[in-house]
Amino acid sequence: MPQLCLFPGVTGRLNFGCLFPGVTEDPGRGPELPGRPRPWSPPVSPPLACLSCSTGSSDPYCIVKVDNEPIIRTATVWKTLCPFWGEEYQVHLPPTFHMVAFYVMDEDALSRDDVIGKVCLTRDTLVTHPKGFSGWAHLTEVDPDEEVQGEIHLRLEVVPGTRACRLRCSVLEARDLAPKDRNGASDPFVRVRYNGRTQETSIVKKSCYPRWNETFEFELEEGATEALCVEAWDWDLVSRNDFLGKVVFNVQRLWVAQQEEGWFRLQPDQSKSQQKEGNLGSLQLEVRLRDEMVLPSGCYQALVQLLCREVKLGTQGPGQLIPLIEEMTSTECRQEVATNLLKLFLGQGLAKDFLDLLFQLELGRTSEANTLFRSNSLASKSMESFLKVAGMRYLHGVLGPIIDRIFEEKKYVELDPSKVEVKDVGCSGLHRPQTEAEVLEQSAQTLRAHLGELLSALCRSVRACPAVVRATFRQLFQRVRERFPSAEHENVPFIAVTSFLCLRFFSPAIMAPKLFHLRERHADARTSRTLLLLAKAVQNVGNMDTPASRAKEAWMEPLQPSVYQGVTQMKDFITKLVDIEEKEELDLQRALSLQAPPVKEGPLFIHRTKGKSPLLSSSFKKLYFSLTTEALSFAKTPSSKKSALIKLANIRAAEKVEEKSFGSSHVMQVIYTDDAGRPQTAYLQCKCVNELNQWLSALRKVSINNTGLLGSYHPGVFRGDKWSCCHQKDKTDLGCDKTRSRVTLQEWNDPLDHDLEAQLIYRHLLGMEAALREKHRELSAGTETASVLTGCGEASEDRLAQLLQVLQDLQEAHNCSPVSSLPLEPNYLLELQT
């Protein structure tokens, strides 16, 4: 039996948000496009608590924490008590995570942000909902005294005495304690209570990673039932001490084990915890948690080869497993299955062939040209995923400058006369406000300019479009033209291309640029309206509107001349886009492979600690960083010829730095060795928590297979003669906190994980195994007749039998315990959609 190197994976999908009562069209979601269902829309809920006395509203955003570690910050929705967030995240986590918490905050420019309330979901809660947790959750009050975190290292033992046994409790150290003081640290001490007696450790000043190494003894009576309580506190000179958490032990267990040592997670004081729901508001959550065991690559080889063989044979193949999978996949699961299959075939170099097969299947069952690719079929969903995976960088190059200009200008744009508000526009002269007609005309001119700029950028981008995307559109264009060859269907091949490129890719990105990573924040109401109207115009161009057709909304008519001109430009662009020969495709792919895009790039602030001067955020120097699969390089500008670099193979860890070290919570450290093998550390400051976690994720993913990765590190800095975090004086000390190399955010440009995709496909096929066996029985019953008529009736049955056998083999592999001496590497995946 092969060695099972297990990678357990936890997958969860998460939606949350609130909407204004009566809102029918949200600017972040935009109009419903043909063949594109509306995204999730929450029902009306009670508004959030108001924290602004002057305006009667708040500026809410959400912080998502996993075990008190902030990993995600949503955009701020300004001046509302009913915000809506539509952001997607996927997070890889270690197998030890306990809880996911959502903190709703009110942003304040002049003081600290206020906490409106929180919702906590424990892992046990999510496990009890295998199909996902969904519903409104009341926000509970956040009590600072109950916000505990971290772990404490203890050793408990029963030692014999002259008259009776004694209970010995050694308080060794703690890590990642909650910072309770303004300096970003705490002054922790430990209080040990047993049998009416209390003893305390010394106080460690300004540290969240204290080391005590102190031992206490208590008289232990045999049969005693009282528990041992170990509490951590933050000492304060003036005010009362802050509670940091506690651990309670059942002493009776020690009579059997005699000794117990380890790291124990600090828990809140449940006796004092009274979570008040009150009128803080509600948060709608949709969470799905899923465990996966990812086996070694060899275990999935048979499944991957079988599916690849089906794709290579195309519609001429005898097995037809792909259409069978589509037939048996529910509408709810189709997007997920499409993404998994697409990524699997993309990794095998068969994405174009897979999509071509789906195109042919879709065309084979379509009789009306105007319904082509308008349903949520496997072909439509796979093509959507394909464009996001393979074309996102191209999208950024075309749309990025235009979206940035719209956000910067913040012009008032409106074409619907019933929605025009003249007071929002200002004055055209010194004394006369603009009339409604002038507003409408100026708005039309602005939209014409944006549409013209977009189409011009698109027409210039043919060579910038990835070769695999061009080749896929070429296949689509040719297949549709072969299926609808008549003159009356002359535009159908063009519409087939724009149904994906415009309606399912460019238009959604224009309406919600943050969801496509084009902007860091959601648009305000004025900018959202401009984006929505521009997306409608692009949609009309994609529909190939002609002078004979009228706009769906009468007030869109002023843009129709520009739309007609845009149709001509779009057809010319598509003609050039699909005009790519196989040799040119190979040449372009080869050129792209030689100039692989960076994994991540952008400006950061760097600081290398030298001497004994105080560390300040102002001591950071701004440089441009670029991370590739070879090195992390940095220079003054992106075009600088002179740059320094850290070899990827030399990176030993990428971790956060505690806030007190630099006065910022957005600093990370890259621990590496130089060419001489000496350990070095580079401190990099990011502008926000999201950018911090994105860089940490990218660095951890590209270095995950490095030899010599650290298991522990110092979250502080070594200044003078000691570490700022744990106050240890040995600079070579191993570290006071554990590294988190497995905690990563999944991004659209991540390297493909072939084994994970194969496992997810296997899990889906296993869920419909009963239906597959029933289909196999039907085919077996008709085999004899088919063999007489065609001579090849057994082919479909044989392929299905092979698939069922592969599923059985994989199931046995999952059920088998690993026997080899090779170490196992657990890894958890948590997917969040917010």
Side-chain angles (χ1 to χ4, degrees):
M1 203 64 191
Q3 162 65 19
L4 306 184
C5 189
L6 305 181
F7 295 82
V10 176
T11 304
R13 179 155 296 159
L14 210 144
N15 291 330
F16 64 99
C18 315
L19 279 180
F20 281 110
V23 167
T24 58
E25 181 178 81
D26 182 72
R29 293 179 293 139
E32 186 170 4
L33 302 179
R36 172 175 171 258
R38 276 195 181 277
W40 167 80
S41 177
V44 174
S45 73
L48 300 176
C50 174
L51 295 181
S52 175
C53 299
S54 59
T55 63
S57 65
S58 295
D59 302 318
Y61 65 91
C62 271
I63 290 286
V64 183
K65 296 184 179 181
V66 175
D67 292 339
N68 297 103
E69 182 77 12
I71 57 172
I72 293 164
R73 183 201 192 278
T74 70
T76 301
V77 183
W78 304 102
K79 298 179 182 178
T80 179
L81 297 181
C82 298
F84 176 83
W85 299 280
E87 306 176 16
E88 298 182 6
Y89 302 94
Q90 296 180 343
V91 188
H92 293 264
L93 295 171
T96 54
F97 97 94
H98 297 83
M99 180 178 64
V100 180
F102 307 86
Y103 290 76
V104 181
M105 312 290 292
D106 176 36
E107 184 167 338
D108 196 325
L110 301 179
S111 61
R112 279 182 173 269
D113 296 348
D114 299 308
V115 182
I116 297 176
K118 70 174 183 178
V119 173
C120 293
L121 294 176
T122 65
R123 182 180 168 188
D124 293 337
T125 301
L126 299 177
V127 169
T128 58
H129 296 79
K131 291 188 176 180
F133 172 87
S134 179
W136 286 99
H138 292 289
L139 293 176
T140 58
E141 185 177 341
V142 176
D143 184 355
D145 292 336
E146 301 304 325
E147 294 292 296
V148 303
Q149 67 183 63
E151 299 172 309
I152 188 168
H153 187 189
L154 303 172
R155 181 170 60 244
L156 306 175
E157 52 189 331
V158 176
V159 295
T162 55
R163 290 182 298 178
C165 293
R166 298 183 66 80
L167 173 62
R168 179 178 295 167
C169 175
S170 298
V171 182
L172 304 178
E173 57 185 322
R175 62 190 180 195
D176 197 26
L177 297 179
K180 294 292 185 178
D181 299 335
R182 289 184 177 273
N183 59 14
S186 291
D187 303 320
F189 69 94
V190 173
R191 182 177 295 157
V192 185
R193 293 189 289 108
Y194 178 71
N195 200 20
R197 189 174 166 212
T198 301
Q199 301 187 62
E200 294 182 354
T201 68
S202 58
I203 299 170
V204 180
K205 295 292 188 69
K206 300 179 180 179
S207 176
C208 292
Y209 299 85
R211 292 185 181 181
W212 293 283
N213 292 317
E214 299 182 27
T215 301
F216 308 98
E217 290 191 358
F218 301 88
E219 290 186 4
L220 185 61
E221 299 178 2
E222 189 170 356
T225 59
E226 185 172 350
L228 173 73
C229 182
V230 180
E231 299 175 343
W233 292 83
D234 169 46
W235 176 82
D236 284 322
L237 178 63
V238 179
S239 60
R240 68 182 181 87
N241 297 335
D242 298 311
F243 180 69
L244 295 176
K246 71 177 183 177
V247 181
V248 179
F249 294 93
N250 182 357
V251 177
Q252 290 182 332
R253 293 189 315 176
L254 292 174
W255 284 106
V256 179
Q258 293 296 306
Q259 182 174 332
E260 184 175 357
E261 180 179 352
W263 285 94
F264 301 93
R265 181 175 174 80
L266 292 170
Q267 303 293 335
D269 189 352
Q270 298 295 339
S271 63
K272 298 180 181 179
S273 178
Q274 295 181 351
Q275 293 183 330
K276 301 178 181 179
E277 295 179 0
N279 297 318
L280 300 177
S282 298
L283 204 62
Q284 187 174 31
L285 301 175
E286 186 177 323
V287 186
R288 184 162 62 97
L289 195 64
R290 185 175 63 191
D291 294 330
E292 295 292 348
M293 295 289 189
V294 182
L295 308 175
S297 301
C299 297
Y300 300 105
Q301 190 172 1
L303 175 62
V304 173
Q305 287 179 349
L306 182 61
L307 294 175
C308 288
R309 191 159 55 244
E310 287 293 310
V311 168
K312 289 176 182 177
L313 290 172
T315 56
Q316 304 304 317
Q320 296 293 288
L321 290 181
I322 299 298
L324 192 61
I325 293 173
E326 179 177 17
E327 176 187 341
M328 296 185 176
T329 300
S330 64
T331 305
E332 294 78 14
C333 299
R334 197 162 290 163
Q335 180 66 74
E336 183 180 350
V337 173
T339 302
N340 297 147
L341 286 170
L342 186 278
K343 288 185 176 181
L344 178 71
F345 291 122
L346 196 62
Q348 300 296 320
L350 293 173
K352 183 182 68 173
D353 304 271
F354 169 61
L355 292 169
D356 186 39
L357 172 60
L358 296 180
F359 295 154
Q360 294 180 68
L361 294 172
E362 178 94 357
L363 288 165
R365 58 174 177 257
T366 302
S367 57
E368 295 292 334
N370 58 0
T371 62
L372 187 60
F373 300 117
R374 299 288 172 153
S375 65
N376 293 318
S377 63
L378 190 62
S380 298
K381 295 297 184 182
S382 298
M383 194 63 180
E384 283 183 32
S385 298
F386 170 70
L387 289 175
K388 288 181 180 179
V389 173
M392 191 68 82
R393 192 175 297 275
Y394 168 68
L395 175 82
H396 281 214
V398 176
L399 278 186
I402 301 167
I403 297 296
D404 289 342
R405 185 172 294 106
I406 293 174
F407 269 77
E408 291 165 4
E409 291 177 350
K410 294 185 180 297
K411 288 185 177 179
Y412 180 81
V413 175
E414 184 55 72
L415 293 181
D416 187 351
S418 65
K419 295 182 178 181
V420 171
E421 298 181 16
V422 177
K423 63 180 181 181
D424 284 343
V425 182
C427 299
S428 59
L430 294 176
H431 306 288
R432 186 180 65 84
Q434 285 183 309
T435 64
E436 179 181 300
E438 290 174 332
V439 172
L440 294 174
E441 176 56 32
Q442 184 175 324
S443 298
Q445 290 178 3
T446 301
L447 287 171
R448 289 190 199 104
H450 289 323
L451 181 61
E453 183 182 358
L454 192 157
L455 291 171
S456 297
L458 195 63
C459 291
R460 295 192 303 266
S461 69
V462 173
R463 296 288 297 179
C465 185
V468 66
V469 175
R470 292 183 63 185
T472 302
F473 277 130
R474 178 193 62 197
Q475 291 291 101
L476 173 62
F477 190 87
Q478 292 176 350
R479 296 296 184 189
V480 175
R481 188 164 55 183
E482 292 169 1
R483 175 65 180 82
F484 298 99
S486 62
E488 63 177 317
H489 295 136
E490 178 185 0
N491 284 337
V492 174
F494 295 97
I495 295 176
V497 173
T498 58
S499 66
F500 293 114
L501 189 64
C502 294
L503 274 64
R504 295 176 184 265
F505 196 39
F506 277 89
S507 286
I510 293 171
M511 288 187 291
K514 187 180 189 302
L515 304 188
F516 286 77
H517 309 284
L518 287 164
R519 297 290 297 186
E520 294 181 1
R521 293 178 176 269
H522 290 301
D524 57 26
R526 174 177 289 193
T527 305
S528 292
R529 185 59 180 171
T530 303
L531 294 173
L532 177 61
L533 294 173
L534 179 60
K536 284 178 175 287
V538 173
Q539 177 185 349
N540 290 341
V541 172
N543 288 332
M544 297 289 163
D545 283 3
T546 63
S549 60
R550 298 186 62 83
K552 185 177 179 181
E553 297 92 353
W555 43 265
M556 286 289 289
E557 281 296 327
L559 287 187
Q560 286 304 97
S562 298
V563 169
Y564 305 148
Q565 182 180 352
V567 169
T568 303
Q569 291 177 273
M570 182 66 71
K571 291 175 73 172
D572 181 62
F573 163 73
I574 293 174
T575 301
K576 295 176 181 178
L577 185 74
V578 301
D579 184 19
I580 178 174
E581 301 297 332
E582 291 189 11
K583 182 180 181 302
E584 184 182 2
E585 177 187 350
L586 292 174
D587 291 341
L588 285 172
Q589 288 178 340
R590 192 177 298 111
L592 288 174
S593 64
L594 295 175
Q595 301 176 351
V599 176
K600 187 166 182 61
E601 59 184 340
L604 293 174
F605 294 85
I606 187 170
H607 180 100
R608 286 194 177 114
T609 57
K610 293 181 180 179
K612 297 185 178 182
S613 59
L615 294 177
L616 302 172
S617 59
S618 59
S619 63
F620 283 84
K621 182 179 181 181
K622 186 175 182 180
L623 296 174
Y624 192 87
F625 283 76
S626 177
L627 176 65
T628 67
T629 54
E630 299 294 331
L632 173 66
S633 59
F634 44 96
K636 288 185 177 180
T637 63
S639 57
S640 296
K641 295 182 179 180
K642 184 179 179 181
S643 64
L645 60 85
I646 299 172
K647 294 180 181 178
L648 188 65
N650 293 348
I651 294 178
R652 298 291 174 259
E655 299 293 335
K656 294 181 180 179
V657 178
E658 62 178 347
E659 182 177 357
K660 73 171 186 176
S661 298
F662 294 100
S664 170
S665 59
H666 306 144
V667 179
M668 64 178 173
Q669 55 180 308
V670 180
I671 306 171
Y672 64 100
T673 55
D674 58 21
D675 293 337
R678 296 185 297 265
Q680 303 288 344
T681 303
Y683 296 96
L684 310 177
Q685 181 171 337
C686 305
K687 58 186 175 184
C688 64
V689 64
N690 284 345
E691 185 180 62
L692 172 66
N693 284 306
Q694 288 165 7
W695 271 103
L696 283 172
S697 300
L699 286 163
R700 289 168 178 172
K701 279 180 282 194
V702 296
S703 62
I704 192 63
N705 295 318
N706 283 4
T707 56
L709 289 177
L710 300 179
S712 61
Y713 80 109
H714 286 283
V717 293
F718 193 84
R719 301 297 294 176
D721 60 349
K722 64 182 180 180
W723 287 99
S724 64
C725 45
C726 58
H727 301 172
Q728 298 304 301
K729 296 183 179 298
D730 184 3
K731 189 174 183 179
T732 62
D733 187 78
L734 291 178
C736 54
D737 198 7
K738 56 187 177 182
T739 57
R740 297 166 176 82
S741 60
R742 295 289 180 181
V743 181
T744 59
L745 290 172
Q746 188 167 317
E747 299 287 346
W748 57 268
N749 57 348
D750 278 350
L752 298 173
D753 190 337
H754 307 144
D755 296 339
L756 176 59
E757 303 305 335
Q759 166 62 23
L760 295 175
I761 292 169
Y762 154 71
R763 183 64 62 189
H764 175 71
L765 294 175
L766 190 65
M768 58 186 194
E769 183 183 17
L772 291 172
R773 292 195 179 280
E774 180 63 29
K775 186 70 174 181
H776 181 254
R777 283 192 290 269
E778 293 178 8
L779 292 173
S780 299
T783 295
E784 184 176 349
T785 304
S787 298
V788 172
L789 295 176
T790 66
C792 60
E794 297 182 4
S796 297
E797 178 196 356
D798 290 345
R799 287 298 172 88
L800 192 50
Q802 291 178 36
L803 178 61
L804 291 170
Q805 184 60 49
V806 167
L807 295 181
Q808 183 177 340
D809 293 343
L810 280 171
Q811 196 167 14
E812 291 176 359
H814 275 282
N815 295 334
C816 179
S817 299
V819 200
S820 170
S821 59
L822 292 176
L824 303 180
E825 299 181 6
N827 180 36
Y828 276 61
L829 173 65
L830 177 68
E831 296 181 357
L832 304 97
Q833 181 179 355
T834 64

